[in-house]
């Protein structure tokens, strides 16, 4: 890759960029950029940003750039509350000059030039880019550079040369399981722009809903959506909105499985007898399209044609995942068809179906993208594989000549930490051993927001801020992987994202208010103290531990719905314990902070319990509150032993560990995040009452 | 007043309602209603509210009621996250039946019947009202009744009979000094509906802007608004939006003063020579319309006619306040005119002008409302006086046969506490001595949000939650005046108001983020600890203490713009000190809480100062942070002396008081709210080291 070659030449600068946040102390400006640019050369001083700040565009220009400029100024005004003029300035007067060389493609393509160079001096700033895509990325970088300083708002003097590592950097939102209104989609697209993602993958059909107006087959949305769908005009607007932000929109119509909602209006497409109703539960279901029925292909030809005219992107996602084959097995006509055509098994039958659909998509001028399962022998080489299975299957596809993107490891709904997502690299595992040519086939990745347990209220908080870490993984050089630096910058970027209207930070407090009813201020504070260290159970545990089978009508008003998927307070406590133990427990400042935190937790339960008596939704976490109190007490006991240097009875450690056993187990589908750290504290206590750092 | 007679019969019930919040403890449901109804009879048990909850309308119906029902259900769904069906239910199935007797007036009138009766039993709820206005109020009461309970969401069994004390309960928003966009206006109207206010007084023209599209005289908005104005279609929509919520919209076009923005496009209306530019500063300015020029009346005839067709309300506000007369004095033609017509002074000249304008308003089918100044001899008896001067002038007007509303004491921009506004009663002072007939002329009151120091970002936080206390003053019986009960309920209602999209609580944290830049979590927490006990200076002190002359272009990004106008934490600390001192300082629980709070303040400054070094906006409050630390230390010293029972030197108290002297003074246009309470603590210490409760 040309990019990589260029990157090596910039090695030292990249390193500078990596170290910068950690290096800077005191009054030095911190570069809170995310994603981190390919190269940063820091300069001296900074450029003030005041009410006279203005932007001029030179070189190639187009209305989209002008709109980007106005949006940039609006955003800068929001960040600073400065009364900026939104009108473009004359070149001589402008404080930021944006020079664009030429147009990008009318329909944005994979691998278009997104590079930019941003130079900030004390006198002004210049942004140059080959295309509007690069210019827009550079504007976002500038927004992240502007911060409050001792003398006003300012951007540090520096030179950034930047380009993406991967050309496909996506976020998938499932708005089929739970409908997500357009205003929520739009603000998430704003968030994507801020972190330089460039593909919005829109999962539009599912067992639980068909979310697009079809004029050709209106029963699809009329009977398959509970009246929750996007009109064609709305979709066209959304695509224009995304294009304005350098973002492609790839629609997904999942077939032949995941398609119950289609069959409510069109049972003739299905392999089973019907009638069908919109699915209300979650899971993998039997209904699947009938690959043996020619009318299905006629129907799909019409529908794909209609949708291909609305969705302008060159790629069209046909899903293809998780067909259990039960309806096929039970249908004699399908069995006869398989026999007649020498189709040996259901996998081959799906391959036949995918092949037919792929031809239809090609006929309508698009390239197919699908989940792992669509990759079967004989599929044309131009399709793109989206891997939910992992780097191994991605590498296998690349070896066979297929392009692919990674989603395994980027499922936002599984509740992983930002650090865990961040550690997943499309080029790791089997992919690391590919040839240069094969590596080029790995286009990037997509984070996925599956929507069983998200709704318009809390979806932002399930996507952000963790999605910004994935965005960095896909944009920044592979060497950028220090989790501590990532978290420091993420905290800043996360706060900034709320200026775009995203609610990922504020919604938790809002939802806790609902739980808390007429709580006193002290009770509400106690609820927040508890909620701050809780996380929903991970992976697919929520399904497995549900008190009653969840459906799309299950209210999402519980603590598990309200707390963020990653607990900042829990993570910070863990870091503090690590620091303390690493210092052989001789760190009075850390000890004081630990004691304060542990005492708060120990005493919190007494404040919270009266509220739990009054609210069934708080009652659900009353046990977790007691567990947190136990953690507080056990942690303090360990600190006391260490402080006294008092030898403990053999049984002491076992007793303490037993006392926090309950805290370590999930309850109310919630994990108590500080439990392992308190355990570490207890385990650090030696029999002699000293403190032993654990082995590295 | 018929209402008052009826109220006396309900005296005991009213008392019940008053005591209810204070009486209930433990698991008893608390009635967090605001405004408090005229009468509440509590019943046994409660009515569960779950996903099957539904509403049916009987009796008189109209589309507005159906929309109100759907809005009610949406709001209930938001409060509970229950998946409620928005479709009206059949009568037999409905859990809440709303019976309305007859229509209200097509154009809502002053004094229309707004009564309702709401009965909740364990089996269901019934709301009956003579008119849709009462029905809509009852729906809002029901929303406030629903709360989380041990067994789910529920409303307590009870019977409420309710009616307003005053027929005119308004909020004025000045969207002329700072333009306030329609979405912000709409959410404030939603807030008004929630607390049963029924007049939105829209201050639309000022020296700083003319905010309405005029097709007759387009230069008014084209040259007088910086392109920030409402189109006629937008205004019609807004009026319909307000009518849907039982709220009248009274427009104000302020004249002959406060009108510089008119003169930018129409200098011929002015008394001075011109040319005129949109005013950027705050204050009272010279420009005024020319009362001697017949063309002015011709112009106003046209304009008032045009506006009277858009604004359907029967009342039309002509302002009339604060004319300094300088342009009149300096204009020979006006002087000649006065001489020719025997007009003795500027007051008489304004009376002449007002009389002419009043006739024009009448000609176009409306009744005049104006500020105190419009009340001069010979003005027709049907005009309404809005008093910014006080109850005395209101009473004087009522004696002369004029109707009036009170705004003195309800100026939200002056930064008074909710309790201080709450204590202001339109019927107190001189008004208390009026005859029954004269009292009827006092129609109610209006809170006023003047907009020198508010913008779309922080305006919600300047109106709410304090406006809810004023709403209660104007709706609830006069006997309802316990500030402690008000604050307890206000805390709940304030949280509920954020469900409507109002940002009065969340915006402060958001604005502090801007100040804090890349603050660490601990630094940001320290900034919030400080901000939590700061309030902007009161009354008109902000103008007087401004570091530079403020203008409409001054950024509102300072701490003084971000903190709420009333500090909850400050108030609660004061209450705690009162409690402690009243118990002769023998209250270990209160002492522990005081110590914790004071220690946090003492230690907060060390955490905040590094941030102050990095942010000019935090730097501005670095002194306040030191003052807060001093308060913490002084308060702890007082507690130590009391705890030891140690006699103190004579100079001790003087020294301690001196140490908090700085804290008591405003700085950075901010008051440090706990200062008087810490002073009280110090003053309670006797020379013998004991604690003396202050004399009652």
């Amino acid at each position: 890759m040309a990019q990589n070659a260029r990157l090596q030449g910039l090695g030292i600068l990249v390193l500078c960029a990596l170290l910068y946040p950690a290096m800077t102390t005191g009054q030095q400006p911190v570069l809170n950029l995310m994603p981190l640019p390919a190269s940063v050369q820091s300069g001296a001083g900074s450029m003030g940003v005041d009410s006279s700040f203005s932007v001029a565009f030179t070189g190639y220009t187009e209305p989209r750039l002008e709109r980007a400029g106005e949006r940039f100024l609006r955003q800068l005004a929001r960040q600073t509350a400065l009364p900026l003029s939104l009108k473009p300035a004359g070149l001589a007067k402008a404080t930021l000059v944006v020079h664009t060389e030429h147009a990008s493609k009318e329909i944005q393509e994979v691998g278009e030039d997104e590079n930019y160079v941003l130079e900030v001096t004390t006198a002004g700033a210049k942004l140059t880019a080959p295309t509007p895509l690069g210019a827009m990325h550079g504007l976002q970088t500038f927004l992240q550079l502007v911060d409050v300083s001792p003398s006003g708002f300012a951007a540090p003097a520096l030179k950034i040369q930047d380009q993406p590592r991967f050309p496909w950097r996506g976020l998938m939102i499932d708005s089929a399981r739970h409908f997500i209104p357009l205003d929520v989609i739009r603000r998430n697209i704003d968030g994507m722009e801020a972190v330089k993602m460039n593909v919005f993958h829109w999962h539009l059909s599912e067992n639980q809903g068909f979310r697009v107006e079809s004029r050709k087959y209106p029963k699809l949305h009329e009977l398959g959506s509970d009246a929750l769908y996007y009109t064609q005009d709305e979709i066209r607007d959304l695509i224009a909105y995304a294009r304005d932000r350098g973002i492609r929109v790839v629609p997904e119509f999942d077939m032949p499985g995941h398609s119950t909602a289609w069959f409510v209006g069109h049972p003739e497409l299905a392999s089973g007898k019907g009638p069908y109703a919109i699915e209300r539960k979650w899971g993998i279901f039997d209904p699947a399209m009938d690959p043996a029925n020619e009318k299905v292909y006629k129907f799909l030809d019409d529908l794909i044609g209609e949708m291909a005219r609305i969705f302008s992107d060159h790629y069209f996602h046909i899903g293809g995942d998780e067909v259990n084959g039960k309806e096929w097995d039970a249908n004699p006509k399908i069995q006869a068809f398989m026999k007649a055509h020498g189709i040996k098994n259901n996998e081959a039958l799906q391959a036949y179906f995918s092949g037919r659909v792929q031809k239809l998509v090609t006929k309508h001028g698009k390239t197919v993208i699908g989940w792992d399962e669509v990759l079967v022998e004989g599929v044309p080489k131009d399709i793109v594989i989206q891997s939910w299975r992992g780097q191994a299957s991605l590498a296998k596809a690349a070896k066979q000549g297929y392009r692919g993107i990674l989603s395994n490891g980027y499922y936002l709904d599984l509740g992983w930490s930002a650090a865990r997502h961040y550690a997943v690299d499309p080029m790791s595992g089997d992919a690391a051993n590919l040839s240069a040519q094969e590596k080029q086939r790995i286009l990037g990745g997509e984070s996925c927001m599956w929507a069983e347990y998200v709704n318009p209220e809390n979806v932002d908080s399930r996507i952000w801020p963790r999605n910004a870490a994935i965005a960095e993984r896909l944009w920044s050089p592979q060497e950028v992987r220090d989790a501590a630096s990532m978290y420091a910058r993420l905290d800043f970027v996360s706060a900034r994202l709320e200026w775009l209207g995203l609610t990922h930070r504020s919604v938790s407090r809002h939802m806790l208010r609902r739980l808390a009813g007429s709580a006193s201020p002290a009770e509400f504070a106690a609820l927040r103290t508890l909620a701050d260290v809780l996380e929903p159970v991970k992976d697919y545990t929520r399904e497995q531990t549900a008190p009653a089978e969840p459906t799309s009508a299950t209210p999402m008003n519980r603590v598990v719905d309200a707390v963020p998927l990653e607990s900042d307070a829990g993570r910070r406590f863990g870091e503090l314990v690590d620091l303390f133990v690493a210092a052989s427990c001789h760190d009075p400042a850390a000890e004081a902070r630990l004691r304060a935190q542990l005492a708060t937790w120990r005493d919190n339960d007494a404040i919270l319990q009266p509220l739990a008596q009054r609210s069934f939704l708080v009652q659900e976490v009353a046990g977790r509150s007691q567990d947190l109190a136990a953690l507080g007490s056990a942690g303090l006991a360990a600190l006391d032993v260490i402080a006294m240097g008092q030898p403990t009875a053999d049984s002491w450690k076992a007793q303490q560990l037993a006392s926090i056993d309950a805290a370590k187990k999930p309850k109310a589908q919630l994990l108590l995040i500080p439990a392992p750290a308190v355990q570490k504290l207890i385990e650090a206590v030696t029999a002699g009452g000293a403190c032993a750092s654990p082995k590295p």
Side-chain angles (χ1 to χ4, degrees), chain A:
Chain A
M1 286 172 90
Q3 272 155 250
N4 278 352
R6 190 173 162 195
L7 260 176
Q8 282 164 10
L10 295 169
I12 292 162
L13 295 178
V14 171
L15 199 66
C16 275
L18 286 172
L19 293 174
Y20 207 76
M23 270 164 37
T24 42
T25 51
Q27 299 201 18
Q28 281 288 101
V30 174
L31 284 194
N32 278 309
L33 298 174
M34 182 165 269
L36 219 47
S39 99
V40 180
Q41 260 179 295
S42 55
S46 65
M47 166 190 169
V49 173
D50 62 21
S51 308
S52 69
F53 183 89
S54 60
V55 182
F57 289 91
T58 69
Y60 169 78
T61 190
E62 60 178 25
R64 176 169 63 160
L65 272 174
E66 285 160 30
R67 289 192 296 271
E70 192 182 315
R71 200 166 63 244
F72 164 82
L73 285 166
R74 268 187 211 287
Q75 184 59 17
L76 189 60
R78 217 171 284 146
Q79 285 179 202
T80 58
L82 293 171
L84 304 177
S85 166
L86 301 182
K87 286 167 203 147
L91 192 55
K93 247 192 73 184
T95 38
L96 169 63
V97 175
V98 182
H99 180 81
T100 309
E101 288 166 17
H102 57 76
S104 57
K105 305 282 174 149
E106 186 59 31
I107 309 291
Q108 193 172 326
E109 289 182 7
V110 178
E112 275 199 78
D113 196 331
E114 299 179 277
N115 300 2
Y116 69 91
V117 175
L118 174 61
E119 198 161 5
V120 180
T121 69
T122 52
K126 181 154 195 196
L127 168 62
T128 52
T131 74
L133 301 175
M136 292 193 290
H137 290 317
L139 288 173
Q140 293 301 317
T141 301
F142 191 89
L143 283 175
Q144 290 186 351
L145 286 173
V146 177
D147 200 359
V148 68
S149 85
S151 56
F153 288 96
L158 48 59
K159 183 174 182 182
I160 288 174
Q161 290 177 288
D162 202 8
Q163 65 273 323
R165 179 175 169 215
F166 292 109
W168 190 304
R169 307 176 306 278
L171 165 65
M172 187 215 78
I173 295 181
D174 166 11
S175 57
R177 285 182 173 82
H178 275 103
F179 184 71
I180 308 291
L182 284 164
D183 60 328
V184 181
I185 299 283
R186 275 192 295 267
R187 68 191 187 214
N188 277 284
I189 285 179
D190 291 343
M192 291 174 67
E193 182 190 26
V195 296
K196 302 185 172 59
M197 277 189 156
N198 67 354
V199 183
F200 171 51
H201 169 175
W202 205 353
H203 187 79
L204 286 162
S205 75
E206 258 304 336
N207 299 309
Q208 292 84 4
F210 188 97
R211 304 298 182 191
V212 181
E213 176 195 18
S214 169
R215 292 179 189 165
K216 203 102 191 169
Y217 295 110
K219 281 192 286 185
L220 281 172
H221 66 275
E222 286 172 5
L223 300 179
S225 78
D226 300 307
L228 295 170
Y229 64 90
Y230 311 104
T231 69
Q232 298 194 356
D233 287 344
E234 286 172 341
I235 290 170
R236 284 199 185 86
D237 284 352
L238 196 278
I239 291 169
Y241 187 92
R243 185 180 185 279
D244 256 15
R245 287 150 182 81
I247 294 170
R248 300 163 43 215
V249 178
V250 176
E252 177 181 356
F253 293 89
D254 205 347
M255 47 191 144
H258 285 282
S259 50
T260 309
W262 306 48
F263 304 152
V264 184
H266 290 279
E268 73 278 11
L269 303 175
S271 306
K273 284 203 188 94
Y276 292 88
I278 293 175
E279 184 58 58
R280 305 295 172 190
K281 296 178 180 172
W282 312 128
I284 298 173
F285 299 94
D286 301 344
M289 291 179 190
D290 182 352
N293 182 351
E294 275 306 308
K295 284 181 187 159
V296 168
Y297 301 108
K298 172 69 184 65
F299 182 99
L300 291 177
D301 188 6
D302 290 346
L303 183 71
I304 292 170
E306 184 184 18
M307 294 303 143
R309 283 187 295 279
I310 303 168
F311 291 94
S312 52
D313 196 74
H314 296 308
Y315 291 79
F316 194 94
H317 203 301
I318 60 167
D321 53 323
E322 301 180 326
V323 183
N324 69 14
K326 287 190 189 167
E327 278 198 351
W328 293 346
D329 296 340
N331 182 326
K333 276 192 193 167
I334 294 176
Q335 293 305 313
F337 176 87
M338 288 169 74
K339 210 166 201 176
H341 291 75
I343 297 172
K344 297 240 164 71
N345 53 31
N346 285 339
E347 195 184 323
L349 184 62
Q350 183 171 348
Y352 169 81
F353 176 84
S354 294
R356 294 284 303 267
V357 173
Q358 188 270 332
K359 283 193 187 75
L360 297 175
V361 171
T362 305
K363 172 183 160 188
H364 293 292
K366 309 286 182 181
T367 300
V368 158
I369 169 168
W371 299 100
D372 293 280
E373 291 93 327
V374 301
L375 178 55
V376 287
E377 225 180 294
V379 172
K381 297 289 184 198
D382 71 336
I383 74 165
V384 175
I385 306 301
Q386 179 164 19
S387 180
W388 61 272
R389 289 179 177 159
Q391 286 94 333
S393 75
L394 205 58
K396 193 175 149 198
K399 277 195 178 153
Q400 295 175 43
Y402 293 97
R403 294 172 301 161
I405 61 173
L406 184 67
S407 281
N408 179 291
Y410 301 143
Y411 271 28
L412 295 164
D413 51 309
L414 300 188
W416 295 10
S417 69
R420 188 169 169 195
H421 286 306
Y422 193 62
V424 175
D425 195 297
M427 290 298 187
S428 66
D430 289 4
N433 302 319
L434 294 174
S435 72
Q437 195 190 14
E438 287 161 353
K439 279 183 174 169
Q440 274 191 318
R441 296 188 187 121
I442 296 182
L443 301 176
E446 277 186 7
S447 52
C448 292
M449 182 72 267
W450 298 108
E452 283 91 343
Y453 300 107
V454 304
N455 64 10
E457 184 173 49
N458 73 354
V459 64
D460 292 1
S461 73
R462 272 54 194 141
I463 296 175
W464 306 98
R466 297 173 305 140
N467 190 52
I470 298 172
E472 173 157 295
R473 171 61 46 245
L474 298 173
W475 176 282
S476 302
Q478 187 164 10
E479 299 76 6
V480 175
R481 57 183 156 208
D482 178 58
S485 157
M486 180 275 287
Y487 274 121
R489 291 176 289 114
L490 187 63
D491 189 56
F492 177 81
V493 168
S494 178
R496 281 291 177 92
L497 286 167
E498 287 230 330
W499 292 110
L500 298 170
L502 286 165
T503 61
H504 54 291
R505 288 199 165 197
S506 58
V507 73
S508 180
R509 187 177 54 87
H510 203 53
M511 291 176 79
L512 291 175
R513 271 272 162 218
R514 174 190 289 143
L515 295 159
S518 52
S520 71
E523 287 171 335
F524 189 65
L527 178 61
R528 293 198 65 186
T529 296
L530 173 61
D532 275 350
V533 290
L534 294 175
E535 287 180 13
V537 288
K538 306 294 156 191
D539 300 310
Y540 295 104
T541 319
R542 183 150 176 192
E543 278 81 349
Q544 293 151 11
T545 58
E549 184 168 13
T551 74
S552 50
T554 303
M556 282 195 266
N557 53 17
R558 297 162 60 212
V559 174
V560 69
D561 300 306
V563 296
L565 297 193
E566 182 169 13
S567 158
D568 286 337
R571 176 171 55 76
R572 289 196 194 109
F573 180 78
E575 289 164 2
L576 191 58
V577 168
D578 286 345
L579 191 80
F580 181 68
V581 173
S584 301
C585 308
H586 294 304
D587 182 337
E591 184 184 339
R593 286 169 63 200
L594 286 174
R595 281 189 181 276
Q597 181 66 84
L598 291 162
T600 301
W601 290 342
R602 180 196 59 199
D603 302 338
N604 197 61
D605 184 52
I607 309 169
L608 189 64
Q609 289 298 338
L611 179 62
Q613 298 302 312
R614 301 201 305 278
S615 163
F616 74 111
L617 292 169
V618 178
Q619 182 60 50
E620 196 190 357
V621 295
R624 296 274 65 174
S625 176
Q626 288 160 350
D627 294 338
L628 183 62
L631 286 183
S633 298
L636 286 168
L639 292 179
D640 286 345
V641 166
I642 295 165
M644 309 281 215
Q646 213 178 29
T648 56
D650 289 351
S651 57
W652 181 88
K653 192 177 282 192
Q655 279 171 1
Q656 291 302 315
L657 291 175
S659 80
I660 66 162
D661 253 4
K664 288 157 60 189
K665 299 195 183 91
K667 269 182 214 168
Q669 306 189 293
L670 289 161
L671 301 172
L672 198 49
I673 300 307
V678 173
Q679 179 169 349
K680 189 180 285 180
L681 205 55
I682 295 166
E683 284 174 346
V685 180
T686 65
C691 168
S693 304
K695 285 168 196 151

